[in-house]
Amino acid sequence: MQHSVSAIDTLKQLPTVSRRYVKLIDRYLAPYQLNSSLYYYILKLHDFGDLPQEKLVQLTGVNASNVTRAIKKLMDSDYIMRKENPDDRRGYLLSLTNKGAAIYQVIPEALQKANEDFFAPLDLEEQTSFIEIINKLSE
């Protein structure tokens, strides 16, 4: 199927739309020293429990060096900690701290506010269509 120049120009705006969404997430998570590239690890550790770092790399699909940097930031903020792995004395498990478990409760609310701001220019029908189209394109 051929696309017109205007359709191609419109597709070039996808990174701009993505950046706008990321900025909104960053804004709502900033008071907690979190951002769009950090909160996901807290969600994974909450959902899966204590994990070796390699498993977080697998679950997130993020480059190992980026995961290492994110883990360091989260440890510096006292959201996660390392502890000995009882199954492998040479390795460590990553675990949520009490502060990390508490911040988990705040993340969905912050994401909801970011979503509300992101979708504000669209009416309900447009929001539904946008979500359906994004889901279809990401299959």
Side-chain angles (χ1 to χ4, degrees):
M1 173 172 27
Q2 291 272 329
H3 292 287
S4 69
V5 173
S6 66
I8 293 170
D9 288 342
T10 299
L11 289 174
K12 289 179 182 178
Q13 294 181 54
L14 285 175
T16 303
V17 172
S18 178
R19 280 191 303 274
R20 180 174 166 261
Y21 184 63
V22 166
K23 283 182 181 180
L24 287 168
I25 292 172
D26 289 348
R27 180 188 327 150
Y28 285 107
L29 291 175
Y32 311 102
Q33 291 77 48
L34 291 174
N35 61 35
S36 59
S37 63
L38 294 176
Y39 81 91
Y40 197 63
Y41 300 100
I42 293 173
L43 297 182
K44 289 298 178 193
L45 286 170
H46 179 273
D47 294 346
F48 289 93
D50 299 350
L51 295 171
Q53 188 166 324
E54 302 79 34
K55 186 67 175 174
L56 270 180
V57 171
Q58 293 172 355
L59 287 171
T60 61
V62 176
N63 178 290
S65 62
N66 291 343
V67 172
T68 299
R69 279 191 290 279
I71 294 306
K72 181 177 179 345
K73 288 179 184 175
L74 290 167
M75 288 176 68
D76 290 347
S77 296
D78 193 34
Y79 288 132
I80 64 172
M81 64 181 172
R82 276 194 182 115
K83 60 185 184 181
E84 281 190 27
N85 185 343
D87 298 329
D88 180 1
R89 296 277 182 216
R90 297 168 293 158
Y92 294 93
L93 292 175
L94 298 171
S95 178
L96 288 179
T97 62
N98 289 338
K99 184 178 175 183
I103 204 66
Y104 172 83
Q105 307 303 320
V106 173
I107 292 171
E109 182 180 317
L111 295 176
Q112 179 63 37
K113 289 178 183 176
N115 286 343
E116 289 170 5
D117 284 0
F118 180 75
F119 285 115
L122 305 177
D123 64 34
L124 187 56
E125 184 177 329
E126 290 170 325
Q127 291 176 27
T128 302
S129 295
F130 179 83
I131 292 168
E132 289 172 356
I133 290 166
I134 290 295
N135 287 334
K136 190 172 188 177
L137 289 173
S138 55
E139 291 177 349

